[in-house]
Amino acid sequence: MADESDTRFSLSPGGSRRVALPYVVKASGRHSLKLTCMELPSEEVLWEGESEFTVSPLYDARGGGLLHDDGKGAIWWCEPERKVGRERPAPGAASEAVRIEAAANEYEAVQVVVRPRASLDRCSVRVGDLVSASGDRIAADEVEIRTVEYVFTAVPTDELGVVDEWPDPLPIHASPVSLAAGRNQPFWVSVHVPSGTPGGDYRG
């Protein structure tokens, strides 16, 4: 579906003016941009042009859900296949919880992202047991938390690459980390469902 932006302004004969046309592109990949200049109110087309551009997966803003947002910052989740850039906005759609679906002896992961409004010196993420309504448990030690770290890439290797910080290393989250104001810090949460675990909804 194409998004449209309409900007109106006056221009004297022989004059020139710089015009900003705001637009939002949430999906990565190749896109087409079409510009049309019309005289109003007749809507006579004076000039028209079209160009293509590419959005890197690092700037893809689809997926996930907002878990919490207040004066201190936002917490949201995102699918594991997404590249979460430092500046990516939090999802607009709210979620009551992070939901993972897995069968016995499977591993499933999700990214939980913290975006503070002010710097935090020592941030730790912890998890408890996951418990079903009948009292069955998936022990906390079956849940692994890793800190998503970033690597600055100065030379892109393909057309989807950009000069920026890319999420890549996933060290075990063993000690508190410092978080910068207004920047995303994802945590990679992986859940193992042991063999023989009874089916049901487990909460934690």
Side-chain angles (χ1 to χ4, degrees), residues 109-155:
V110 68
Q111 297 183 79
V112 177
V113 186
V114 181
R115 185 186 179 99
R117 285 188 168 81
S119 298
L120 294 177
D121 290 333
R122 294 175 63 81
C123 176
S124 292
V125 179
R126 298 189 301 271
V127 65
D129 292 349
L130 307 178
V131 185
S132 71
S134 59
D136 296 309
R137 292 177 179 268
I138 297 175
D141 58 11
E142 298 288 353
V143 183
E144 183 181 74
I145 301 176
R146 294 176 176 267
T147 302
V148 178
E149 294 187 348
Y150 288 76
V151 176
F152 181 77
T153 301
V155 181

Side-chain angles (χ1 to χ4, degrees), residues 5 7 18-22:
S5 177
T7 300
R18 185 183 298 272
V19 179
L21 297 172

Side-chain angles (χ1 to χ4, degrees), residues 62-77:
R62 296 172 297 172
L66 181 64
L67 297 168
H68 181 79
D69 192 4
D70 60 15
K72 295 182 179 180
I75 301 174
W76 50 284
W77 69 269

